[in-house]
mmCIF file of all heavy atoms in Angstrom:
data_model
loop_
_atom_site.group_PDB
_atom_site.id
_atom_site.type_symbol
_atom_site.label_atom_id
_atom_site.label_comp_id
_atom_site.label_asym_id
_atom_site.label_seq_id
_atom_site.Cartn_x
_atom_site.Cartn_y
_atom_site.Cartn_z
ATOM 1 N N ALA A 4 0.492 8.565 -0.103
ATOM 2 C CA ALA A 4 0.675 9.558 -1.166
ATOM 3 C C ALA A 4 0.502 10.988 -0.631
ATOM 4 O O ALA A 4 -0.245 11.235 0.310
ATOM 5 C CB ALA A 4 -0.322 9.307 -2.304
ATOM 6 N N GLU A 48 12.109 12.445 8.307
ATOM 7 C CA GLU A 48 12.511 12.327 9.727
ATOM 8 C C GLU A 48 11.825 11.163 10.396
ATOM 9 O O GLU A 48 12.367 10.509 11.280
ATOM 10 C CB GLU A 48 12.196 13.622 10.447
ATOM 11 C CG GLU A 48 13.065 14.803 10.029
ATOM 12 C CD GLU A 48 12.588 16.127 10.610
ATOM 13 O OE1 GLU A 48 11.572 16.102 11.345
ATOM 14 O OE2 GLU A 48 13.205 17.161 10.295
ATOM 15 N N ALA A 56 5.378 8.718 7.031
ATOM 16 C CA ALA A 56 6.123 8.398 5.798
ATOM 17 C C ALA A 56 5.283 8.667 4.561
ATOM 18 O O ALA A 56 4.068 8.562 4.544
ATOM 19 C CB ALA A 56 6.564 6.937 5.827
ATOM 20 N N LYS A 104 14.056 11.922 -12.941
ATOM 21 C CA LYS A 104 13.722 10.558 -12.495
ATOM 22 C C LYS A 104 12.289 10.401 -12.077
ATOM 23 O O LYS A 104 11.951 9.628 -11.161
ATOM 24 C CB LYS A 104 14.657 10.078 -11.367
ATOM 25 C CG LYS A 104 16.144 10.271 -11.628
ATOM 26 C CD LYS A 104 16.582 9.560 -12.882
ATOM 27 C CE LYS A 104 18.072 9.746 -13.144
ATOM 28 N NZ LYS A 104 18.503 9.157 -14.435
ATOM 29 N N VAL A 147 -0.985 7.643 -28.101
ATOM 30 C CA VAL A 147 -0.357 8.886 -27.669
ATOM 31 C C VAL A 147 -1.375 9.653 -26.863
ATOM 32 O O VAL A 147 -2.590 9.499 -27.054
ATOM 33 C CB VAL A 147 0.127 9.730 -28.858
ATOM 34 C CG1 VAL A 147 1.172 8.985 -29.687
ATOM 35 C CG2 VAL A 147 -1.027 10.151 -29.748
ATOM 36 N N GLU A 148 -0.906 10.484 -25.955
ATOM 37 C CA GLU A 148 -1.798 11.306 -25.113
ATOM 38 C C GLU A 148 -1.720 12.751 -25.556
ATOM 39 O O GLU A 148 -0.661 13.294 -25.818
ATOM 40 C CB GLU A 148 -1.424 11.187 -23.653
ATOM 41 C CG GLU A 148 -1.842 9.865 -23.031
ATOM 42 C CD GLU A 148 -1.963 9.955 -21.530
ATOM 43 O OE1 GLU A 148 -2.122 11.068 -20.995
ATOM 44 O OE2 GLU A 148 -1.889 8.907 -20.882
ATOM 45 N N HIS A 163 9.192 10.150 -39.217
ATOM 46 C CA HIS A 163 10.463 9.987 -38.502
ATOM 47 C C HIS A 163 10.236 10.179 -37.001
ATOM 48 O O HIS A 163 9.184 10.682 -36.578
ATOM 49 C CB HIS A 163 11.539 10.955 -39.003
ATOM 50 C CG HIS A 163 11.222 12.397 -38.863
ATOM 51 N ND1 HIS A 163 10.276 13.061 -39.637
ATOM 52 C CD2 HIS A 163 11.734 13.347 -38.031
ATOM 53 C CE1 HIS A 163 10.228 14.332 -39.298
ATOM 54 N NE2 HIS A 163 11.104 14.550 -38.311
ATOM 55 N N GLN A 177 0.759 15.418 -40.045
ATOM 56 C CA GLN A 177 -0.251 16.200 -39.363
ATOM 57 C C GLN A 177 0.258 16.880 -38.095
ATOM 58 O O GLN A 177 -0.435 17.697 -37.502
ATOM 59 C CB GLN A 177 -1.450 15.302 -38.981
ATOM 60 C CG GLN A 177 -2.072 14.565 -40.154
ATOM 61 C CD GLN A 177 -2.604 15.521 -41.198
ATOM 62 O OE1 GLN A 177 -3.272 16.496 -40.864
ATOM 63 N NE2 GLN A 177 -2.299 15.241 -42.470
ATOM 64 N N ILE A 201 19.331 6.699 -38.511
ATOM 65 C CA ILE A 201 20.236 7.461 -39.373
ATOM 66 C C ILE A 201 21.156 8.359 -38.523
ATOM 67 O O ILE A 201 22.107 8.941 -39.050
ATOM 68 C CB ILE A 201 19.474 8.349 -40.377
ATOM 69 C CG1 ILE A 201 18.631 9.401 -39.655
ATOM 70 C CG2 ILE A 201 18.597 7.491 -41.302
ATOM 71 C CD1 ILE A 201 18.114 10.509 -40.563
ATOM 72 N N LEU A 244 20.104 0.010 -47.874
ATOM 73 C CA LEU A 244 18.667 -0.237 -47.716
ATOM 74 C C LEU A 244 17.849 0.470 -48.769
ATOM 75 O O LEU A 244 16.887 -0.093 -49.320
ATOM 76 C CB LEU A 244 18.218 0.204 -46.317
ATOM 77 C CG LEU A 244 18.657 -0.702 -45.150
ATOM 78 C CD1 LEU A 244 18.374 0.007 -43.816
ATOM 79 C CD2 LEU A 244 17.968 -2.029 -45.212
#
Side-chain angles (χ1 to χ4, degrees):
E48 291 171 1
K104 310 302 180 186
V147 299
E148 285 202 22
H163 62 288
Q177 305 300 314
I201 64 166
L244 286 169

